[in-house]
Amino acid sequence: MAGAVYIKTYGCQMNEYDSARLADLLFETHGLVRVDDPSRADILLVNSCSVREKAQEKLFSDLGRLNEWKASRPGVVIGVGGCVASQEGEDIRRRAPYVDFVFGPQTLHRVPDLLADARARNPRVDITFAELEKFDRLPEPRADGPRAFVSIMEGCSKYCSFCVVPYTRGQEFSRPFDDVLAEVAALAEQGVREVTLLGQNVNAYRGRRRDGRTADLATLIGYVAEIDEIGRIRFTTSHPLEFGETLFDAFASERKLVSHLHLPVQSGSDDVLARMKRGYRVDWYRDKVAKLKSVRPDISLSTDLIVGFPGETERDFAATLALVDEMRFDLSYSFAYSPRPGTPAAALPDDVPAHVKAQRLAKVQALNLEHAAAISRRMVGRLERVLVDRQAPRGRGDLSGRTENNRVVNFPGGGEDLVGRFATVEITEARPNSLRGRLVAAEAGVSSAILEKREAAIS
Ligand code: SAM
Ligand code: F3S
């Protein structure tokens, strides 16, 4: 073996995508194989996240542990990338001098050079915003199972007052339309059947086409759907403000687009939304959801929520709880607000005490769990289209897959090797973290009675 690389990833799916591409790159340039155990690796990399304070602090405690591996094995190199790297730059090496190089989300394609320099005892920090250079310099992606992420844009220009992303990942920049399609087609050839189009503000996608015109997300979805082997399309994360007519049309007409949408609302209070600079009011969000349901009645929604934003009163928080109750989100990622350096909200007094934030967080999470459990229970008895992605971890020949609303379903496979295929599964039981089911039929390709039914309903 030429050597091994360990990559610890924090944060969003874009970071996961970046880590996977970095692993592909290091395999191609150095023959390095990605391993899950740091004690077996020669290169230790951390792809960090700075969206919340906790994630940032975790980086430094992790680095301390990685340094122990380094001390016990001569020649081991440590690199730090991601959003904390982008924000802290040289300070990372000041606080953790054993770090050999630092790279940002836009410079991960330069890691092979940084690694070579580190080995020559020339530690470097490269956190420039090289925009799309990285995509041009990364090798063709290697599929890892039937589901894949494809990053279609970088950065964010929305500047929500609490969020560090526009500063760490830079302004929005869309990948060219044909490059994205080529990447999806290459993944499809390797057995990928479900693709998630990724961006921090993904529905603001405007990719240049070869003829110089630009195409939006709905157009891209239409072209991805033309790739026969792709049977399911997701996209995340959407901003409600960018949810335009063409996307409603896509939900109305594109059967491969899942009946599931992650649409962060952040708060149920208009005052808080205004201070967050989200650019919409609660009623506006409500109307978008109602319109979406009119074209896709079976759509399930997930969301992001922040509690304890500066100035959030009991009344504001009650409005958030009421909205959560009304919307019946399938899943919500809820967070206690933490001020991020350099963001406008960091200048506001962080005046909701920590224990109040914790209480509000627990309340909103409990309510959401109740709704999610009720949705799971209602799925019992229904036929679901499942993409089988692996043998179930606890064996007995069971298979494991995902429904459209991203729930894990385990079911007896009847001895058939269905991994990488779609199947119709009847849900028989709702458990706290997964569903049980019974195989009804395996799809030969990517068409099924469930999709035919949707087509009939939406056309
Ligand atoms: N682009 C997405 C959107 O439209 O909202 C999400 C981006 S952010 C990486 C993921 C989530 O982290 C946000 O939706 C928000 O709920 C949460 N978040 C961001 N900054 C935060 C902060 N300072 N404190 C607590 N949560 C935060
Ligand atoms: Fe952050 Fe708002 Fe963009 S939450 S990623 S600035 S849409």
Side-chain angles (χ1 to χ4, degrees):
M1 183 157 80
V5 57
Y6 167 81
I7 310 178
K8 172 95 183 162
T9 308
Y10 288 103
C12 62
Q13 287 149 326
M14 310 233 12
N15 261 13
E16 277 180 44
Y17 173 87
D18 282 350
S19 290
R21 304 303 312 277
L22 183 55
D24 292 345
L25 177 67
L26 290 173
F27 180 72
E28 195 172 282
T29 56
H30 288 68
L32 291 168
V33 175
R34 188 172 181 177
V35 291
D36 294 332
D37 176 1
S39 68
R40 289 179 48 217
D42 314 280
I43 316 295
L44 303 169
L45 301 179
V46 184
N47 194 359
S48 64
C49 170
S50 61
V51 158
R52 286 168 294 276
E53 195 173 11
K54 267 192 190 153
Q56 181 153 351
E57 278 316 302
K58 191 108 190 25
L59 169 69
F60 288 99
S61 65
D62 264 11
L63 282 177
R65 247 190 323 273
L66 292 183
N67 189 34
E68 287 168 24
W69 295 119
K70 181 175 170 168
S72 65
R73 291 187 58 192
V76 166
V77 169
I78 297 181
V80 176
C83 290
V84 182
S86 166
Q87 206 167 29
E88 307 271 315
E90 297 281 354
D91 282 348
I92 297 217
R93 292 198 70 254
R94 268 193 275 280
R95 198 163 153 186
Y98 47 82
V99 168
D100 299 289
F101 63 93
V102 177
F103 57 101
Q106 317 289 1
T107 51
L108 54 94
H109 58 288
R110 297 186 191 149
V111 167
D113 294 342
L114 294 170
L115 178 58
D117 283 355
R119 282 178 163 156
R121 299 191 188 284
N122 175 23
R124 283 208 291 136
V125 174
D126 184 351
I127 51 167
T128 46
F129 286 127
E131 288 186 337
L132 292 184
E133 184 189 301
K134 102 171 173 196
F135 291 108
D136 293 336
R137 302 267 299 277
L138 290 170
E140 194 168 272
R142 286 184 298 156
D144 181 19
R147 297 188 293 137
F149 294 137
V150 173
S151 186
I152 67 168
M153 61 189 295
E154 274 290 328
C156 184
S157 305
K158 276 278 175 281
Y159 291 94
C160 303
S161 66
F162 53 81
C163 184
V164 81
V165 168
Y167 311 97
T168 57
R169 298 192 84 106
Q171 298 260 336
E172 273 161 28
F173 208 101
S174 296
R175 283 181 75 188
F177 189 77
D178 293 297
D179 290 7
V180 174
L181 284 180
E183 187 166 324
V184 178
L187 288 164
E189 250 176 50
Q190 297 173 57
V192 166
R193 297 293 169 260
E194 172 187 306
V195 71
T196 304
L197 306 174
L198 288 182
Q200 295 291 351
N201 184 16
V202 74
N203 47 350
Y205 176 78
R206 300 287 181 272
R208 273 182 86 76
R209 303 176 69 149
R210 239 174 290 171
D211 60 9
R213 289 178 303 149
T214 53
D216 67 2
L217 178 63
T219 308
L220 181 64
I221 290 168
Y223 275 74
V224 170
E226 296 273 308
I227 300 173
D228 284 343
E229 296 85 351
I230 298 294
R232 203 184 245 183
I233 304 167
R234 302 179 187 276
F235 60 90
T236 200
T237 294
S238 299
H239 192 294
L241 272 191
E242 298 287 345
F243 215 95
E245 284 306 313
T246 57
L247 261 189
F248 286 112
D249 292 345
F251 274 104
S253 62
E254 185 42 70
R255 63 186 197 151
K256 290 184 181 177
L257 186 56
V258 291
S259 286
H260 181 61
L261 175 69
H262 186 61
L263 195 62
V265 64
Q266 310 296 0
S267 171
S269 152
D270 284 339
D271 289 348
V272 174
L273 286 176
R275 284 200 300 282
M276 287 177 164
K277 301 247 177 308
R278 289 289 288 180
Y280 55 82
R281 297 165 73 89
V282 178
D283 270 346
W284 195 89
Y285 182 91
R286 233 182 229 119
D287 288 349
K288 289 269 168 189
V289 170
K291 187 163 175 191
L292 194 56
K293 286 190 172 164
S294 72
V295 296
R296 258 306 163 91
D298 65 342
I299 195 133
S300 80
L301 285 181
S302 57
T303 201
D304 289 351
L305 294 163
I306 297 179
V307 300
F309 188 77
E312 186 190 67
T313 60
E314 277 303 330
R315 212 175 143 156
D316 293 324
F317 177 62
T320 296
L321 281 184
L323 186 70
V324 168
D325 213 28
E326 175 190 336
M327 291 287 155
R328 309 261 144 181
F329 294 113
D330 200 353
L331 179 72
S332 92
Y333 300 95
S334 4
F335 312 101
Y337 170 73
S338 55
R340 306 315 296 129
T343 60
L348 301 172
D350 184 15
D351 52 3
V352 180
H355 73 277
V356 176
K357 285 182 186 168
Q359 279 165 1
R360 289 180 185 174
L361 189 61
K363 263 194 200 160
V364 81
Q365 285 177 337
L367 183 61
N368 190 248
L369 275 181
E370 250 177 58
H371 294 156
I375 291 171
S376 291
R377 283 196 300 275
R378 275 204 304 278
M379 290 173 77
V380 173
R382 282 200 211 148
L383 296 182
E384 290 285 334
R385 187 170 186 246
V386 168
L387 175 57
V388 184
D389 49 21
R390 60 192 174 133
Q391 305 283 336
R394 270 186 283 259
R396 298 194 310 265
D398 281 7
L399 296 172
S400 185
R402 297 258 179 175
T403 59
E404 286 211 355
N405 60 352
N406 237 340
R407 277 178 174 57
V408 173
V409 190
N410 297 314
F411 60 97
E416 261 195 278
D417 181 11
L418 298 180
V419 174
R421 286 172 61 187
F422 288 95
T424 303
V425 173
E426 182 189 346
I427 306 303
T428 54
E429 190 188 340
R431 297 185 171 177
N433 297 313
S434 64
L435 303 167
R436 288 284 307 165
R438 175 183 76 81
L439 178 66
V440 174
E443 289 178 26
V446 292
S447 69
S448 76
I450 293 181
L451 278 191
E452 310 291 310
K453 218 166 115 190
R454 170 174 303 156
E455 191 153 74
I458 61 185
S459 59

